[in-house]
């Protein structure tokens, strides 16, 4: 069973439930196709998103705020054969964890990073993050946000990420992109637009979503990806492209060190580690 018996403490109707459902379906599918639970590891940061750790029966670490990616990297160095998934909120990924995000994209370690982007620090009751729109008000920012938000898709393209995707919090879309991300040999960045029903008004986002694939976007074309990434600046919501913006091949971190290559060949598993 991939589900745990933990009672969920997410708000009723939270879109994190969609991410959890998609991830569980994806893992169950992989297990049905012959993978073992022990082949996977998950790492989470701190925040509402991080509770996914309690609801999925897989090995891993509920780590520190902003430190998901170095923890994922550590797991890959310890056992390069593990299939590793990291989960962060937008605060976790783009504020506290920003330096790790850039360098992990640059390293191109073979792992998948899922960012639950609700455009607020939700667990600490709704402070603005680097992707909050101008004018957003809360108790810490009574005059409203004045600084233009960051565009994480463009950031990832610029940092050299080899798989860059954004999806809406829809179970089918997430499951599809997780499968593609897992097949990809390198760092896969997957942002999920995850409306926060309590602290961020995302009304109307769903109507602005469109699929890059359906519009014939060429995911191997960097310039086309850059252009598409500019269509939604996280500030003004006119249209939100979703799907795989960019995918390319580049040397993978784990394949560039003799010791890691040897570990990979040996195929170490939990048996060897527990000895
Ligand atoms: C180093 C550090 N700074 C701040 C905090 C306080 N803190 C706990 S959860 C949280 C907000 C998390 O927001 P986000 O990463 O966007 O995740 P969400 O709750 O929205 O899913 C913060 C700031 C912390 N635990 N550790």
């Amino acid at each position: 069973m991939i589900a745990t018996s933990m009672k969920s403490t997410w708000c009723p109707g939270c879109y994190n439930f969609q991410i959890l459902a998609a991830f569980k379906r994806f893992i169950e599918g992989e297990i049905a196709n012959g993978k073992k639970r022990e082949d996977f590891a998950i790492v989470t940061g701190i925040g509402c998103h991080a509770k996914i750790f309690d609801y999925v029966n897989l090995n891993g670490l509920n780590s520190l705020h902003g430190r998901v990616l170095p923890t994922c990297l550590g797991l890959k160095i310890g056992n390069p054969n593990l299939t590793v998934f990291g989960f962060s909120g937008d605060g976790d990924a783009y504020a506290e964890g920003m330096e790790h995000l850039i360098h992990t994209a640059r390293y191109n370690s073979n792992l998948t990073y899922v960012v639950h982007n609700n455009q607020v620090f939700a667990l600490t009751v709704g402070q603005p993050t680097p992707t909050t729109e101008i004018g957003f008000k809360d108790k810490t920012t009574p005059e409203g946000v004045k600084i233009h938000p960051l565009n994480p898709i463009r950031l990832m393209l610029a940092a050299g990420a080899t798989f860059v995707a954004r999806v809406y919090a829809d179970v089918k879309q997430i499951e599809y992109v997780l499968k593609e991300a897992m097949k990809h040999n390198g760092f896969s960045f997957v942002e999920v637009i995850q409306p926060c029903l309590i602290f961020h008004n995302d009304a109307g986002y769903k109507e602005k979503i469109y699929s890059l694939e359906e519009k014939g976007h060429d995911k191997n074309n960097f310039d086309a990806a850059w252009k598409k990434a500019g269509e939604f600046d996280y500030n003004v919501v006119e249209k939100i492209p979703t799907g795989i913006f960019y995918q390319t091949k580049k040397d993978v971190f784990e394949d560039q060190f003799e010791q890691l290559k040897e570990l990979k060949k040996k195929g170490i598993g939990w048996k060897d580690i527990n000895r």
Side-chain angles (χ1 to χ4, degrees):
M1 272 288 278
I2 219 63
T4 66
S5 57
M6 293 286 278
K7 201 167 173 265
S8 177
T9 54
W10 281 326
C11 304
C14 178
Y15 283 82
N16 274 322
F17 283 107
Q18 262 79 342
I19 301 176
L20 172 65
F23 186 63
K24 281 197 310 207
R25 267 169 63 157
F26 161 74
I27 295 288
E28 275 159 6
E30 291 300 314
I31 290 173
N33 285 332
K35 282 250 186 190
K36 294 195 292 294
R37 239 169 40 84
E38 296 76 22
D39 295 332
F40 297 94
I42 59 168
V43 179
T44 65
I46 301 293
C48 295
H49 67 275
K51 296 177 182 188
I52 197 167
F53 190 84
D54 294 338
Y55 311 141
V56 178
N57 190 9
L58 289 174
N59 295 311
L61 279 115
N62 185 347
S63 70
L64 300 175
H65 202 24
R67 305 296 177 252
V68 172
L69 286 172
T71 312
C72 288
L73 205 56
L75 287 173
K76 289 299 287 187
I77 291 170
N79 183 353
N81 289 309
L82 276 177
T83 301
V84 175
F85 287 86
F87 296 89
S88 280
D90 47 306
D92 200 82
Y94 309 142
E96 284 83 354
M98 174 52 87
E99 71 277 31
H100 302 302
L101 177 60
I102 294 170
H103 293 297
T104 311
R106 203 166 62 82
Y107 290 2
N108 200 33
S109 179
N110 186 17
L111 57 94
T112 299
Y113 188 41
V114 180
V115 179
H116 306 214
N117 190 352
N118 52 21
Q119 295 183 269
V120 278
F121 285 104
L123 191 73
T124 43
V125 300
Q127 300 80 14
T129 69
T131 50
T132 307
E133 71 280 9
I134 291 172
F136 175 90
K137 285 185 183 161
D138 85 311
K139 282 182 193 158
T140 65
T141 319
E143 289 185 23
V145 170
K146 296 185 192 296
I147 302 162
H148 205 282
L150 172 90
N151 183 333
I153 304 291
R154 281 200 163 165
L155 177 80
M156 286 295 88
L157 291 171
T162 53
F163 182 102
V164 180
R166 177 206 287 136
V167 290
Y168 190 71
D170 167 87
V171 177
K172 271 200 185 138
Q173 255 200 50
I174 302 170
E175 195 187 355
Y176 166 75
V177 114
L178 286 176
K179 279 186 192 157
E180 294 302 306
M182 194 186 119
K183 275 191 265 164
H184 177 72
N185 191 21
F187 178 65
S188 301
F189 172 83
V190 178
E191 182 181 70
V192 184
I193 301 288
Q194 176 248 318
C196 176
L197 304 178
I198 309 298
F199 297 113
H200 192 272
N201 179 13
D202 301 292
Y205 271 40
K206 204 170 178 183
E207 288 69 50
K208 305 288 168 66
I209 301 290
Y210 80 90
S211 155
L212 287 167
E213 206 177 347
E214 281 169 20
K215 292 276 182 219
H217 170 66
D218 175 8
K219 65 181 180 184
N220 303 124
N221 181 335
F222 183 89
D223 293 339
W226 185 263
K227 203 164 165 220
K228 286 286 172 195
E231 284 182 4
F232 174 45
D233 65 357
Y234 297 76
N235 195 37
V236 179
V237 190
E238 276 166 3
K239 46 184 172 174
I240 308 178
T242 58
I244 303 165
F245 284 78
Y246 187 58
Q247 187 167 10
T248 191
K249 282 187 187 149
K250 208 166 89 179
D251 288 341
V252 170
F253 178 82
E254 294 82 42
D255 295 341
Q256 296 182 66
F257 299 91
E258 282 310 313
Q259 291 111 312
L260 292 181
K261 277 194 335 209
E262 248 169 66
L263 278 182
K264 218 169 160 180
K265 249 194 282 162
K266 258 169 65 186
I268 66 161
W270 290 104
K271 266 199 327 284
D272 312 284
I273 290 167
N274 291 338
R275 215 175 26 208

